[in-house]
Amino acid sequence: MMTPRISRNDFRYLKIRDTERALKCGGDVLVWKSEEDRLKEGVRLICEKYKPESVLEVGFGLGYTASEFQKCGVKYHTIVEAHKTIHKNAVEWSSKHSDKYIRIIEGFFQDYETDEKFDVVYDDRMDMVYENDEFIEAKKPLRKWLRSFCSKNGIVAGYARELKEIKEFDDGFFFKLDGTEYRQPLMVN
């Protein structure tokens, strides 16, 4: 999660540490390595249910979700990554998939502009997307903005979360993995 006190430019150059347990940026954890299976399963189930051909992914992290989207056969894959080092890692990753259409954009998603529409917009930035763990409770302008990148019947999906106390529910679904139940949040356009 990006600390609000850090300027955008400073964030782009913060030290990245790939530790045994997590990918860290400055003092914040971007991705816990223990989340790999959960993230991949959420993406696999999204692909199984919605069969997307195009994906706009916000951030690359350790590439868990990007790799799973490729494994699921997505034809057009755009990734927007703000951090310089992680962007470089994403470019290196994409070169291993040279037979696929993968476009890596360096910059902040908030600045990304395109006329393209995508079957899936995958945004797992908890500090940007979620409010009370639900898309349905996210601020209305944010929901509208994320949906503006979607094709008709496209979806906005995010980080699969452990179930805690669910008061309301968006258009997402539940799944079990290794005995733990998770919720895959999403909104259908």
Side-chain angles (χ1 to χ4, degrees):
M1 250 181 287
M2 192 166 93
T3 307
R5 293 182 304 270
I6 296 172
S7 74
R8 286 170 152 213
N9 196 51
D10 288 345
F11 170 78
R12 297 183 72 207
Y13 295 96
L14 279 175
K15 183 177 181 179
I16 294 291
R17 290 186 8 240
D18 189 352
T19 70
E20 186 178 308
R21 296 179 57 216
L23 178 67
K24 295 182 176 185
C25 181
D28 295 322
V29 172
L30 297 179
V31 181
W32 290 103
K33 292 184 177 179
S34 61
E35 297 172 332
E36 179 178 6
D37 291 343
R38 172 195 332 180
L39 292 168
K40 287 181 173 181
E41 182 68 1
V43 167
R44 187 189 69 73
L45 291 169
I46 287 168
C47 290
E48 186 178 283
K49 183 172 182 173
Y50 293 96
K51 301 181 182 8
E53 291 191 4
S54 61
V55 172
L56 172 60
E57 191 167 1
V58 181
F60 181 73
L62 289 167
Y64 296 153
T65 53
S67 294
E68 196 64 24
F69 277 120
Q70 287 306 305
K71 189 175 172 184
C72 290
V74 167
K75 292 181 183 176
Y76 307 100
H77 195 168
T78 299
I79 300 169
V80 181
E81 176 55 60
H83 195 282
K84 289 271 189 194
T85 301
I86 299 172
H87 172 265
K88 181 180 170 230
N89 295 344
V91 169
E92 287 173 12
W93 169 85
S94 71
S95 70
K96 296 174 186 166
H97 300 276
S98 58
D99 59 328
K100 308 278 186 156
Y101 178 86
I102 301 172
R103 184 173 46 180
I104 310 294
I105 308 291
E106 184 176 1
F108 286 90
F109 184 58
Q110 296 91 316
D111 301 328
Y112 180 65
E113 294 180 11
T114 184
D115 292 331
E116 281 182 90
K117 299 297 180 190
F118 299 88
D119 298 329
V120 172
V121 175
Y122 190 87
D123 187 348
D124 65 0
R125 300 168 302 155
M126 193 166 52
D127 56 332
M128 294 296 293
V129 175
Y130 304 105
E131 194 170 293
N132 300 324
D133 286 348
E134 296 288 342
F135 270 130
I136 201 163
E137 303 225 359
K139 294 178 179 146
K140 194 172 186 173
L142 177 60
R143 291 195 320 257
K144 183 178 179 183
W145 179 67
L146 287 167
R147 285 180 164 160
S148 74
F149 293 97
C150 288
S151 58
K152 186 179 182 202
N153 298 318
I155 65 167
V156 175
Y159 174 73
R161 310 289 298 270
E162 264 189 74
L163 290 180
K164 300 247 189 294
E165 185 178 324
I166 306 281
K167 295 179 181 147
E168 295 185 52
F169 199 69
D170 49 27
D171 300 318
F173 55 85
F174 299 94
F175 66 92
K176 270 194 173 179
L177 182 66
D178 298 329
T180 303
E181 195 167 10
Y182 297 97
R183 175 177 66 77
Q184 176 62 62
L186 59 85
M187 300 181 291
V188 177
N189 204 18

